[in-house]
Amino acid sequence: MKQFLTPRRTTWLHRANPAAKLGMIVLLFLLTLFTHSLDFIAYQAITVFLVLFLMSGHPPWKIMLLLLPLLLVFVSSSITMILFGKGDTLWWKWGIIRISEESFYRGIHIGFKSVTFAAEGLLYVLTTSSVALFYALMQKVKLAPKYAYSFMASVRLLPMVWEEFLIRRSALQIRGVRHSRGVRGWIEQAKLYAVPLLSQSIRRAHRVAVAMESKSFHNSRRRTYYYTSEFTLYDLGLLLLLASAVAAAYSLANIHPLFGISDVRY
């Protein structure tokens, strides 16, 4: 999985400061959240997808593969509003299902919002390493080192837990362990997996804690860092890029509206 998410080439977006990038992505989230124009949100999704394809450093086929689940997100988030939303211009009704013009466009609007949120988050994840993020949070946002290093350690330990789960499952299969069906079977499986995995995790956490103490880790904020995190011109470039994407989406929504609906609120 780590190899799959490794970019084929490194763009200047990867060199932007993770803390600054996080702040800009949060601002994009807020803009997306408070956008009520259907055309504007549709063009927001398109421009974020373009940035994702051009600047993530991953080949197009991999981006397409990662975006496939967003189709399900679009349908699942919009279908409820389309089928059961309020509206005056009724298109079709059957039982409790009631599709109106207003509910249809509001449903599409929610679908575009959902995929835009997901694309913005994917853009951040694909262009930021977790280690660089926590170093930037410690040095620029003044996050306490005990929380940052705890998160970094937990991220590194998750693959080990998954590997132990696979080993445990193979061992149970070799021994011919069978489970009952239904809820009783789930409870039996939980008993077989939970205790060994939990005990191993506690031992591993203890070893990590001892190793960190031996390296003189403490809770003081005054410390030196092996990796330094600095603000550079790449951050300004990222700000200009995202501002240009938003400006382009807004301009296209006014010049070439796809739906001609400026406000979907009912």
Side-chain angles (χ1 to χ4, degrees):
M1 189 66 181
K2 183 179 179 181
Q3 186 177 4
F4 179 78
L5 294 177
T6 302
R8 186 175 60 182
R9 59 185 174 88
T10 302
T11 66
W12 60 267
L13 207 60
H14 294 81
R15 301 186 181 92
N17 188 281
K21 197 188 306 179
L22 180 62
M24 296 177 205
I25 292 294
V26 170
L27 289 178
L28 269 187
F29 282 160
L30 293 176
L31 176 67
T32 304
L33 180 64
F34 292 106
T35 297
H36 303 297
S37 168
L38 181 55
D39 298 304
F40 188 27
I41 196 67
Y43 279 115
Q44 276 187 49
I46 294 171
T47 53
V48 173
F49 285 150
L50 282 177
V51 174
L52 191 60
F53 274 98
L54 297 175
M55 303 302 298
S56 68
H58 291 268
W61 68 266
K62 192 180 291 185
I63 299 295
M64 291 294 294
L65 193 63
L66 291 172
L67 292 181
L68 276 180
L70 298 189
L71 292 175
L72 180 62
V73 171
F74 183 90
V75 173
S76 61
S77 58
S78 61
I79 193 67
T80 304
M81 178 58 73
I82 292 175
L83 295 181
F84 304 105
K86 295 180 180 178
D88 297 327
T89 308
L90 186 64
W91 282 357
W92 185 69
K93 183 177 180 181
W94 184 67
I96 60 173
I97 298 175
R98 189 175 186 277
I99 301 176
S100 62
E101 181 181 3
E102 292 84 354
S103 67
F104 177 77
Y105 287 122
R106 280 203 308 278
I108 293 179
H109 179 262
I110 293 174
F112 275 121
K113 268 193 177 184
S114 302
V115 297
T116 307
F117 280 134
E120 290 164 352
L122 194 60
L123 176 66
Y124 187 80
V125 170
L126 293 181
T127 58
T128 309
S129 80
S130 58
V131 174
L133 169 63
F134 286 113
Y135 270 92
L137 291 178
M138 281 190 288
Q139 297 176 42
K140 299 302 179 187
V141 189
K142 305 304 178 186
L143 177 68
K146 63 178 181 180
Y147 298 118
Y149 283 110
S150 299
F151 277 112
M152 281 195 282
S154 60
V155 169
R156 295 296 178 92
L157 293 179
L158 282 177
M160 298 181 188
V161 175
W162 176 248
E163 185 180 1
E164 284 186 358
F165 171 79
L166 297 179
I167 293 173
R168 178 72 178 166
R169 187 179 64 179
S170 300
L172 292 175
Q173 289 175 346
I174 292 173
R175 292 174 185 174
V177 176
R178 296 289 183 268
H179 311 290
S180 305
R181 292 185 176 180
V183 179
R184 185 178 176 183
W186 296 345
I187 296 174
E188 292 175 359
Q189 291 186 55
K191 289 180 180 177
L192 290 173
Y193 286 98
V195 175
L197 293 179
L198 185 60
S199 61
Q200 288 295 334
S201 297
I202 293 173
R203 290 175 185 171
R204 190 179 301 105
H206 178 69
R207 290 198 295 269
V208 171
V210 171
M212 292 179 74
E213 286 183 1
S214 67
K215 295 284 185 181
S216 301
F217 276 88
H218 48 78
N219 197 27
S220 173
R221 294 176 184 270
R222 301 182 59 185
R223 57 184 306 127
T224 58
Y225 296 96
Y226 185 78
Y227 299 105
T228 57
S229 182
E230 302 292 341
F231 292 123
T232 62
L233 288 178
Y234 294 118
D235 306 324
L236 180 61
L238 175 61
L239 179 62
L240 293 176
L241 173 68
L242 296 181
S244 302
V246 172
Y250 185 77
S251 301
L252 287 171
N254 287 294
I255 298 172
H256 300 292
L258 298 175
F259 304 96
I261 298 176
S262 59
D263 195 335
V264 295
R265 286 176 292 183
Y266 180 72

